[in-house]
Amino acid sequence: LAVQCKGWLSPVPTYRSSTWLRESSSSVSSMESAVVLIDPITDWKQVIDAAASLGHVVIAVQLPAEALPEKFQSFLPTTLALEEAGVDHVLSVEQRDVFSITQQLQILAIDFNLKLMGVIPLSEIAVEVSDCVASCLGLPHNILDRVTARRDKGMMKSAVESAGLRIAKYARVASMQDVNDAMSRLSLCYPIVLKTPAGMSTTDVFICSSNQEAISAITSIIGNTGPDGRRVEKALLEEYIGGVEFAINLMAFSSRENNTPPRILVTDVWKYQKTKQARYGKAEICNPADYPALLTYATNVAEAVGIQVGAAHVELKAEEVQGGSFANPVMIEVGARLSGGRKSIMTQSAVQNWNPFEALIQSHSIQTCQTNPQNTNFLTPNKFVRHIFLPILKRGLVEKIDLEVSSLATLHSSAMIVKVGDIVDVTTDIVSCAGFVWLVGDRDQVDEDTGAVMSSFVLSVIDV
């Protein structure tokens, strides 16, 4: 483990206090408050800026990246990038070792006279680490006996079902014989879903319409390294649920009163549009007031898996019923962290006086959120937002990329992930898209600019 701070690099310091809360030289009143960011990936720059604006020292813990797929590693900031963005101390660890991380944070707190306020996960693999480390430090955390239910999709379904909520049928499988047996036992027919139980970002998720496709999925999952760097011994078979997909983002605020249940605020709701190939096409922000059944279900899901502090996002499917409303929601998964895809950034642009990153820090440190309205269960956007996914339709060598966005009236930001000369595969999940465009403004103008984006986008791929 390396400890790197601005202006110095040292070996691991010797533990020099039997009681870590004991100050080394100064009084408690002179201690600086600090927040810990575990595996800073999702919106990490915005969270660092928010921490600085709230007057906190920022500590970043970089988890090991070697076991992660290359497409995930490309999103990881370097130590230098973190420091340049305002991180005061960077701890780089060689494994997800809760004891070691806790120990080094305690040493750092003693050496620099810091009062640790909260531990915040900024990636999916940071979720279980953050809660365990926060617990060891005596800081706010989600319910520990449900930590596996916040990462393992099978445990997740079990917890949600135990709360009396509807879920998709599921089973753990280690072979095609297990798949066939489970389909018979659960009265399922194709299509089915096969996935890595502790996956993320739609990676290692296969919608299978035949035995052959199921065999291919099982071969891809079992015995291989999953997206979180762990070996996968069994896949999760799930009932395929039709309907429209939504992402409902939440922020949980707990009280210092132990008997007071957390308040869960719905911060933003997104509806997805998918292509015929089940790829993501667009995601649009919605008015939460139009989806009461979905909001109730999502908050109940978050409670079922023990979320009490911080951000969460519930991905679900729902049926469109008469009148254009949606009912009968079913969870796809829940993540106990900020949602990806810049949704929090875009929501900040669409909702007046809302800073999700300050709210995230205040929630994890059990501080009063200055922008948390007490008279509502959800926030209402006053601007329309659309997230456009740019797919790769052919495997090969990228020969040419065209995308004209400079003249768009509603352009918020864009990102092109691939570049000329790259060898690419057909898009199968969010992280394998060619790029993204985010638009915010008046709905009609966003619609016009969307057409301009799609007509200008060219990705020329040649066979190799």
Side-chain angles (χ1 to χ4, degrees):
L1 179 148
V3 181
Q4 187 165 350
C5 304
K6 285 185 176 178
W8 65 282
L9 177 64
S10 75
V12 176
T14 303
Y15 193 73
R16 59 184 180 83
S17 174
S18 59
T19 305
W20 85 274
L21 289 172
R22 185 182 304 152
E23 320 88 82
S24 57
S25 60
S26 305
S27 64
V28 173
S29 61
S30 66
M31 298 173 77
E32 289 187 278
S33 64
V35 292
V36 180
L37 311 181
I38 304 289
D39 206 30
I41 298 178
T42 304
D43 299 341
W44 58 275
K45 290 182 180 179
Q46 287 75 18
V47 178
I48 291 169
D49 288 345
S53 72
L54 293 171
H56 296 308
V57 170
V58 182
I59 303 169
V61 178
Q62 292 180 300
L63 298 181
E66 291 75 12
L68 297 179
E70 185 177 346
K71 62 184 177 182
F72 284 104
Q73 293 188 35
S74 64
F75 292 96
L76 302 176
T78 64
T79 297
L80 179 60
L82 290 170
E83 291 177 338
E84 290 177 343
V87 172
D88 299 283
H89 308 282
V90 180
L91 305 181
S92 298
V93 300
E94 296 179 359
Q95 55 185 338
R96 283 171 261 177
D97 181 342
V98 170
F99 173 84
S100 178
I101 295 171
T102 303
Q103 179 192 41
Q104 297 313 314
L105 288 171
Q106 291 173 332
I107 292 169
L108 197 63
I110 293 169
D111 286 347
F112 289 88
N113 201 33
L114 303 175
K115 180 181 180 182
L116 302 181
M117 302 294 291
V119 181
I120 303 169
L122 289 182
S123 78
E124 187 65 23
I125 64 172
V127 166
E128 74 259 28
V129 176
S130 298
D131 282 328
C132 293
V133 169
S135 174
C136 291
L137 292 171
L139 297 175
H141 57 275
N142 293 312
I143 296 174
L144 287 183
D145 64 9
R146 281 173 254 175
V147 67
T148 53
R150 293 188 289 275
R151 282 287 291 116
D152 180 284
K153 307 302 188 293
M155 297 287 190
M156 190 180 291
K157 284 180 170 55
S158 177
V160 172
E161 184 178 33
S162 295
L165 302 172
R166 183 188 175 200
I167 63 166
K169 299 175 183 178
Y170 71 100
R172 293 185 192 270
V173 295
S175 65
M176 267 309 297
Q177 184 61 53
D178 287 351
V179 171
N180 293 330
D181 290 346
M183 290 180 67
S184 176
R185 184 174 69 255
L186 298 173
S187 300
L188 296 179
C189 58
Y190 287 109
I192 60 169
V193 179
L194 287 166
K195 63 174 62 173
T196 297
M200 52 194 173
S201 298
T202 69
T203 297
D204 279 6
V205 177
F206 302 90
I207 300 173
C208 305
S209 298
S210 66
N211 268 6
Q212 191 58 45
E213 291 181 2
I215 290 170
S216 177
I218 288 291
T219 302
S220 297
I221 295 171
I222 296 175
N224 295 311
T225 300
D228 66 350
R230 296 184 174 109
R231 180 178 170 85
V232 182
E233 301 297 340
K234 287 189 175 184
L236 198 68
L237 179 153
E238 294 181 358
E239 171 190 10
Y240 177 79
I241 301 294
V244 178
E245 184 173 337
F246 290 84
I248 299 182
N249 295 326
L250 314 167
M251 194 72 71
F253 298 94
S254 285
S255 167
R256 295 189 186 278
E257 302 294 331
N258 290 333
N259 294 327
T260 304
R263 175 173 181 259
I264 298 180
L265 177 71
V266 176
T267 61
D268 46 303
V269 175
W270 298 77
K271 181 166 67 174
Y272 287 99
Q273 297 178 9
K274 289 190 172 183
T275 66
K276 292 181 179 179
Q277 296 79 19
R279 300 187 193 98
Y280 289 98
K282 304 180 185 72
E284 301 175 349
I285 202 166
C286 305
N287 185 348
D290 296 334
Y291 305 93
L294 277 56
L295 269 55
T296 299
Y297 179 86
T299 55
N300 288 341
V301 165
E303 292 170 353
V305 299
I307 292 173
Q308 295 194 314
V309 295
H313 60 279
V314 178
E315 296 170 7
L316 58 83
K317 282 191 172 181
E319 300 172 11
E320 188 168 8
V321 295
Q322 189 174 9
S325 61
F326 287 83
N328 302 319
V330 182
M331 178 191 69
I332 299 172
E333 65 179 47
V334 53
R337 59 177 178 87
L338 284 176
S339 176
R342 298 190 186 179
K343 289 186 177 64
S344 296
I345 297 172
M346 301 309 298
T347 299
Q348 186 175 14
S349 297
V351 177
Q352 192 172 10
N353 300 323
W354 170 245
N355 188 319
F357 310 108
E358 289 187 2
L360 176 72
I361 294 166
Q362 291 163 333
S363 171
H364 275 278
S365 53
I366 312 293
Q367 294 177 309
T368 300
C369 177
Q370 301 303 318
T371 58
N372 175 15
Q374 299 297 317
N375 59 346
T376 182
N377 293 322
F378 57 83
L379 303 178
T380 302
N382 56 14
K383 294 180 182 178
F384 182 70
V385 179
R386 179 174 288 142
H387 176 187
I388 302 171
F389 300 84
L390 303 175
I392 302 169
L393 303 178
K394 176 183 175 181
R395 186 184 190 283
L397 174 73
V398 177
E399 182 183 43
K400 178 183 178 182
I401 302 173
D402 283 337
L403 178 64
E404 175 53 50
V405 297
S406 61
S407 62
L408 301 178
T410 62
L411 177 68
H412 178 278
S413 52
S414 65
M416 188 57 63
I417 308 303
V418 302
K419 61 184 183 298
V420 172
D422 284 351
I423 303 294
V424 297
D425 286 311
V426 174
T427 294
T428 57
D429 52 35
I430 292 174
V431 295
S432 60
C433 285
F436 312 96
V437 178
W438 291 268
L439 306 175
V440 57
D442 175 77
R443 174 66 185 258
D444 290 341
Q445 186 62 57
V446 168
D447 286 342
E448 182 177 330
D449 287 352
T450 299
V453 168
M454 301 311 296
S455 62
S456 75
F457 175 58
V458 175
L459 183 70
S460 178
V461 178
I462 59 175
D463 294 330
V464 291

